[in-house]
Amino acid sequence: MKCIDFHTHPLPESYRNAMSELGIDVIKEDGFPLPSWSEEAHLSFMKDAGITHSVLTSPTPHIHNGNDEISCECARRINEETASLIKDDPEHFSFCAVLPVPAVKGSIEEMNYAYDHLGAIGVKLPTNANGVYLGDPLLDPLMEEMNRRKALCIIHPCRARKIPDNTITSTVMAIYEYPADTTRAVINMIAHRIMSRYPEIRWIIPHTGSFLAYELQRFKGVSGILAKLNMMEQVDIDTEVRNLYFDIAGDPEPIALDMLLRITDSDHIVYGSDWPHSPAPVIIAKKKHLEANESYASILEKIMYQNGESLLNQ
């Protein structure tokens, strides 16, 4: 069975250099060191995992630490280096450009450059960029341009600027903070009606929707109460969520994928590996287990390939 991977990260030298230039401490930000990566290792992983094509997106930490100018320069170098890889092997790789948000002007310029000159198929945005979350009105001009471009946008969690420092969840961000920040960002997008206001953007939400399967029902109830009290605008949550896509990077079995199917349908789910941040043997074992699960036999080809092919061809 063919397989398109929508959640996988290159780590070229330009990205590693950006962390140094921006003064970003990866261990402090992520709680986890950057893994090793090379084009050869990526291709070897894909062969072993049975992955046909990988859509590359820049990982966390996000490339902004308060200096718009340096962030824009780093984004350009990362995108150009990644694009050179794509140019050499378009059969196996495509990429979504990293943007220097919250620098809106620079992000619009970088997106257009990446589309027009580098062959990007979309963009990658963090859940928050120095505390500016997706859905924030500050980013509306970028959303307008993304909508004009009918952009594919893969979002990726980023460390919240303020988290408690005395809990296990504040050690490695992947334990709790990343799914929490993904959920926080998407709820903010819903509250600001991003999906209905900018309907041409195609969003991919990571990690089997994170905590959305629970939070959406709660938000429906609470937002309805707040709207009646004139404390927020009434939002049609089902309309906002209807056209979102979700990748299954992480642990879709035995619970998360079933929960996700309560808030979306099988036409809006794509495969994600999270390599190289997740070890190849773990990813391969999970993928084989999912493929052998008869409960998903009727929708597996959609998740692994058909939905992704449709997204890439839009």
Side-chain angles (χ1 to χ4, degrees), residues 34-191:
L34 290 177
S36 61
W37 178 88
S38 69
E39 178 184 357
E40 295 76 20
H42 203 134
L43 288 168
S44 178
F45 159 71
M46 290 172 63
K47 181 179 179 181
D48 292 343
I51 293 169
T52 313
H53 187 86
S54 291
V55 180
L56 305 178
T57 57
S58 189
T60 296
H62 176 56
I63 56 160
H64 199 289
N65 203 26
N67 189 309
D68 287 356
E69 182 179 356
I70 297 177
S71 182
C72 290
E73 292 171 356
C74 289
R76 177 63 54 88
R77 288 194 289 268
I78 292 168
N79 288 330
E80 288 185 334
E81 186 174 0
T82 307
S84 67
L85 168 68
I86 307 310
K87 184 178 180 180
D88 291 340
D89 194 352
E91 177 185 354
H92 291 105
F93 298 117
S94 53
F95 87 109
C96 289
V98 62
L99 304 184
V101 286
V104 172
K105 181 176 182 291
S107 293
I108 292 172
E109 291 175 355
E110 187 61 29
M111 176 177 64
N112 288 331
Y113 178 79
Y115 266 115
D116 295 338
H117 300 285
L118 300 181
I121 64 163
V123 297
K124 172 261 181 177
L125 291 178
T127 49
N128 84 85
N130 275 355
V132 177
Y133 276 84
L134 295 176
D136 193 302
L138 175 70
L139 301 178
D140 280 357
L142 175 60
M143 298 296 110
E144 291 171 6
E145 185 65 7
M146 288 170 60
N147 194 64
R148 184 186 75 82
R149 284 279 187 178
K150 299 183 179 181
L152 173 67
C153 181
I154 297 177
I155 75 171
H156 194 275
C158 194
R159 186 183 192 273
R161 293 303 89 193
K162 295 180 180 180
I163 62 173
D165 59 7
N166 58 349
T167 68
I168 186 63
T169 60
S170 60
T171 55
V172 176
M173 297 299 102
I175 296 173
Y176 174 84
E177 292 298 333
Y178 283 168
D181 214 60
T182 298
T183 306
R184 183 179 295 117
V186 177
I187 291 296
N188 200 49
M189 292 166 68
I190 292 170

Side-chain angles (χ1 to χ4, degrees), residues 182-202:
T182 298
T183 306
R184 183 179 295 117
V186 177
I187 291 296
N188 200 49
M189 292 166 68
I190 292 170
H192 288 87
R193 299 187 297 107
I194 295 298
M195 281 65 75
S196 59
R197 289 166 57 210
Y198 307 107
E200 301 298 334
I201 303 174
R202 295 162 292 143

Side-chain angles (χ1 to χ4, degrees), residues 4-8 55 57 152 154 204 247 270-272 308 311-312:
I4 301 175
D5 187 355
F6 282 86
H7 192 136
T8 185
V55 180
T57 57
L152 173 67
I154 297 177
I204 300 181
D247 77 46
V270 296
Y271 180 74
L311 269 175
L312 296 182

